């Protein structure tokens, strides 16, 4: 009896692999993307694409385990929710919203990127200095309080505050 139940569960699992969540994205103009609209420095660009863009843009890069049902449904639901909250591919609609200044606070408080994402993606693990740099940059582009961008003497010379 146990073997039959196990076999039935295996068959259900295999059949479920043919069910896939909708990963389509609507048509959008690349010029409305956060990175295009703000001409972000290279270090900010790297942090955003590594720590934010998989969930908060239409430029998601799916890991291998995103092909396994039911994980793919959970992951796509998470991405859809994140895009609803803040979609950097549609920065033109968020730049003046009340949510845009929250980006800085979320990064400084360690809320973003979330712990489960950081655990699975080494490129999303920001150092405290990177968190401050990214948060300060968000403050600059959203017109928030004076930016807390630490001087780092980098190659870009972008270390100015408004």
């Amino acid at each position: 009896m146990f073997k039959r139940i196990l076999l039935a569960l295996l068959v259900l699992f295999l059949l479920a692999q043919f069910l896939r969540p909708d990963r389509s994205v609507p048509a959008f103009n690349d010029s409305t993307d956060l990175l295009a609209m703000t001409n972000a420095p290279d270090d900010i660009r790297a942090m955003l694409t590594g720590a934010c863009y998989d969930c908060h843009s239409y430029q998601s890069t799916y890991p291998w385990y995103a092909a396994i049902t039911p994980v793919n449904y959970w992951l796509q639901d998470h991405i859809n929710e994140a895009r609803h909250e803040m979609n950097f591919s549609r920065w033109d609609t968020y730049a003046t919203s009340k949510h845009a200044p929250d980006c800085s606070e979320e990064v400084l408080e360690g809320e973003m990127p979330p712990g489960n994402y950081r655990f699975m993606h080494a490129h999303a693990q920001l150092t405290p200095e990177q968190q401050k740099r990214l948060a300060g940059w968000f403050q600059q582009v959203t017109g928030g309080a004076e930016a807390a961008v630490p001087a780092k003497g980098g190659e870009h010379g972008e270390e100015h505050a408004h």
Side-chain angles (χ1 to χ4, degrees):
M1 181 67 166
F2 179 73
K3 287 182 181 180
R4 286 184 183 180
I5 292 172
L6 202 56
L7 181 61
L9 288 175
L10 178 63
V11 168
L12 284 174
F13 177 78
L14 292 174
L15 288 174
Q17 301 314 303
F18 293 101
L19 303 173
R20 300 283 180 209
D22 180 17
R23 288 188 181 172
S24 62
V25 297
F28 71 99
N29 187 336
D30 287 340
S31 68
T32 64
D33 185 84
L34 169 69
L35 297 174
M37 291 182 71
T38 61
N39 195 25
D42 289 343
D43 65 326
I44 296 295
R45 183 176 297 271
M47 285 185 266
L48 285 168
T49 56
C52 308
Y53 264 56
D54 275 348
C55 297
H56 290 283
S57 79
Y58 291 139
Q59 301 172 35
S60 300
T61 303
Y62 291 91
W64 65 268
Y65 53 84
I68 301 171
T69 301
V71 174
N72 53 11
Y73 280 94
W74 172 80
L75 187 60
Q76 192 60 48
D77 183 60
H78 177 81
I79 290 170
N80 291 343
E81 186 178 316
R83 288 177 182 162
H84 176 74
E85 290 297 318
M86 177 64 63
N87 188 337
F88 294 137
S89 293
R90 296 297 321 266
W91 185 247
D92 59 324
T93 62
Y94 290 94
T96 58
S97 80
K98 65 183 179 100
H99 297 292
D102 292 343
C103 294
S104 177
E105 185 177 329
E106 296 281 330
V107 170
L108 279 178
E109 292 178 356
E111 297 293 323
M112 288 291 147
N116 60 346
Y117 185 79
R118 290 190 311 261
F119 176 74
M120 298 293 287
H121 303 276
H123 56 78
Q125 297 176 13
L126 303 176
T127 66
E129 293 78 22
Q130 288 174 315
Q131 287 176 317
K132 289 176 187 171
R133 171 82 171 119
L134 184 56
W137 181 81
F138 269 126
Q139 288 176 347
Q140 288 177 342
V141 299
T142 62
E146 186 166 324
V149 180
K152 67 173 183 122
E155 63 189 60
H156 304 292
E158 304 286 335
E159 312 330 328
H160 58 279
H162 291 278

